[in-house]
Amino acid sequence: MTRYGFHASHEQISPGRLLADVQHAERAGFSMAMCSDHFSPWSARQGHSGYTWAWLGAALATTDLTFGCVSAPGQRYHPAVAAQKIATLAQMFEGRFWVALGSGEASNEHITGEGWPRKELRDQRLDECVDVIRRLLHGEEVNHDGLVTVDRARLWDLPERQPKLIAPVVSVESASRVAAWADGLITIVQPEETLREVIDAYRGAGGRGDLSLQVHLSWAETEQAAEDIAVDQWRSNVIGPPVAWDTETAEAFDAIGEQVTAEAVRETVQVSSDLGEHRERLEHLASLGFDDLYLHHVGQEQSGFIDAFGSEVLPQPGSSSSVGSTGSAGSTTSATA
């Protein structure tokens, strides 16, 4: 059975407000949560970008939800430091934390002043970082010389249960590549045929673990209001790679977004004022083979969405579609793989 989670968007909501939102989501019936890990928003209109790792400690301590985040080791975060953060949260909150490790986006990583590597080097760097992180989480002393350098690193506090290292992917090619190391896969809504190809590529290459899907959606009392929210907040996000990977500033994303139509936004965001339509769309997406759906209402005001979806969209206890999966979060989003 598919589980439903709440996506906490740090680029759109201040950390304090977002903490209250995720607590509200738990009360409303969401069974898990995930969040982004950005230094910069995609748009000045979004206007936020709190530090994910500090927020995660507070969120885990004040809810009983399982949590994950999508993060990019290798440039902004040295992999040994990333491993230490992962291990600390996993040790304090056993079985409740996972991380999805991607190759990153220039909008967050350019702040180091280093050059932005071409995609094949970013993928190679990610593979090296995953190996370093996993070895550190297993208690090894790690030395590594490659696209990242590690000198005699060792973690002194480790969780009893290894946190899952999930792969965030968009393309079929990436799904095949990450199958060698991933403990599960998370992707975003795309055309149905593409989603099937991503799943098949991952499983066909030996990919293990659960499959998760992040769903961008917009709901309001009227269709026009739902569309207005989506266009205002998400038109800078609908551009695909490589532009999304290589654009460096919120102002540049905003300039690109001025050329994006409402119709283009609707191709990426599930827009509707009809809660029944949202429920049917989500059930169909789950039927493609996803264990977990993470719902991201792209508006900055979350309370109405949380209450409406909690009462009208999420599976109710005892229903035929109620929670039964262990999920990628339960047994232990946009940095792309």
Side-chain angles (χ1 to χ4, degrees), residues 239-283:
I239 56 173
V243 176
W245 294 337
D246 297 337
T247 302
E248 293 186 347
T249 66
E251 292 76 13
F253 276 106
D254 277 333
I256 296 168
E258 291 303 319
Q259 308 303 316
V260 175
T261 64
E263 290 73 21
V265 172
R266 282 178 172 270
E267 291 178 3
T268 301
V269 181
Q270 180 175 302
V271 178
S272 179
S273 60
D274 186 336
L275 291 170
E277 182 177 351
H278 278 291
R279 183 173 57 249
E280 290 175 3
R281 289 182 183 179
L282 293 171
E283 289 174 350

Side-chain angles (χ1 to χ4, degrees), residues 286-300:
S287 74
L288 300 181
F290 290 100
D291 303 287
D292 298 332
L293 298 184
Y294 288 92
L295 311 188
H296 173 207
H297 171 54
V298 299
Q300 292 180 300

Side-chain angles (χ1 to χ4, degrees), residues 2 29 44 53 62 80 88 120 123 144 146 170 186 226 239 288 305 321 327:
T2 302
W53 296 88
T62 58
T88 297
E120 65 265 27
D123 288 342
H144 182 83
V170 176
I186 185 165
I239 56 173
L288 300 181
F305 154 73
S321 58

Side-chain angles (χ1 to χ4, degrees), residues 11 41-48 233 236 249-251 253-254 300:
E11 300 76 49
W42 284 284
S43 167
R45 295 184 310 280
Q46 293 174 346
H48 297 281
Q233 284 293 296
S236 300
T249 66
E251 292 76 13
F253 276 106
D254 277 333
Q300 292 180 300

Side-chain angles (χ1 to χ4, degrees), residues 162-204:
Q162 289 293 307
K164 290 196 171 187
L165 305 183
I166 307 299
V169 304
V170 176
S171 71
V172 173
E173 294 76 17
S174 291
S176 297
R177 184 183 61 79
V178 301
W181 61 259
D183 297 320
L185 177 144
I186 185 165
T187 188
I188 58 175
V189 172
Q190 302 179 74
E192 183 173 324
E193 184 58 33
T194 303
L195 288 177
R196 293 184 186 278
E197 290 174 356
V198 165
I199 293 172
D200 290 345
Y202 181 69
R203 294 300 193 203

